Amino acid sequence: MNQKNLFEVDWSKIPPPVDDGAARHLPGRTIPPLDLIATDNSSVRPSALKGRTVVFAYPRTGEPDKVSPVDDWDMIPGARGCTPQACAFRDLFAELMAAGARHVFGLSTQDHDYQCEMAARLHLPFAVLSDERLLLTHALELPTMDVAGLTLIRRLTLIVDDGRINHVFYPVFPPDRNAGEVLAWLRANPVSR
């Protein structure tokens, strides 16, 4: 399938993911002390971040006019929508920060160069973390899917307070509404000072 427009998606024609329980173990878990390369070329250790951190994980962003990893990409529940999700977090970034997020990150298993191109093209005001070696994915036992020889993170969003997972959004559908759901949750669950 050729992805001519990554933004215009008829969600009624995309199969939604189901809650398979694969993220049930995450609330309360401590993030392990691992360093990930970010699109701003820094090394980020999520476990050491103070305050509230939002990490939205996704399978992989597409590139306009490029072929998907498999012909039926859109029919894989939860696969389509990474670019609209990232753009929604971009568009609500200031509000997320005002609602108590100290850090916002995207996360995927794509390599650093691929992510840097995407972050620049989409003008993201936050860094995207690469877990290309699957260190964090395996350490936290994040839900994954294998597509075309690639191990991809299933779409989820973590709310992390001082290195401990407080809340998980999983499954996430439709992806472009996730940032708004996270914003509503942040406003309803302010950080105690």
Side-chain angles (χ1 to χ4, degrees), residues 124-135:
L124 300 182
F126 50 81
V128 179
L129 306 175
S130 175
D131 192 19
E132 181 181 12
R133 294 181 9 216
L134 303 172
L135 298 176

Side-chain angles (χ1 to χ4, degrees), residues 14-181:
I14 305 291
V18 297
D19 188 350
D20 58 3
R24 199 171 295 141
H25 66 286
L26 291 170
R29 294 255 327 240
T30 300
I31 303 290
L34 300 168
D35 296 320
L36 300 174
I37 188 75
T39 50
D40 62 5
N41 292 316
S42 67
S43 179
V44 175
R45 180 170 285 189
S47 64
L49 297 174
K50 299 297 179 200
R52 180 160 280 172
T53 301
V54 175
V55 179
F56 69 97
Y58 56 89
R60 61 183 291 116
T61 53
E63 294 178 83
D65 297 319
K66 297 283 180 157
V67 175
S68 300
V70 293
D71 287 340
D72 59 350
W73 177 257
D74 286 1
M75 294 301 103
I76 300 170
R80 180 72 192 262
C82 302
T83 299
Q85 183 183 25
C87 289
F89 275 94
R90 175 198 66 200
D91 296 346
L92 291 177
F93 178 73
E95 291 176 69
L96 292 162
M97 299 299 278
R102 208 154 164 204
H103 311 276
V104 174
F105 294 104
L107 171 72
S108 79
T109 60
Q110 290 171 286
D111 68 57
H112 175 69
D113 290 340
Y114 190 103
Q115 289 179 334
C116 286
E117 183 282 325
M118 176 273 305
R121 176 172 31 94
L122 299 179
H123 307 287
L124 300 182
F126 50 81
V128 179
L129 306 175
S130 175
D131 192 19
E132 181 181 12
R133 294 181 9 216
L134 303 172
L135 298 176
L136 185 65
T137 300
H138 289 316
L140 286 176
E141 301 172 86
L142 296 178
T144 60
M145 59 181 159
D146 293 316
V147 178
L150 303 168
T151 299
L152 308 173
I153 303 171
R154 289 189 182 274
R155 192 179 317 282
L156 73 145
T157 301
L158 306 173
I159 308 296
V160 181
D161 291 329
D162 296 321
R164 183 177 301 276
I165 300 170
N166 180 332
H167 187 76
V168 179
F169 291 84
Y170 179 83
V172 170
F173 190 83
D176 61 342
R177 295 190 194 142
N178 183 227
E181 295 165 343

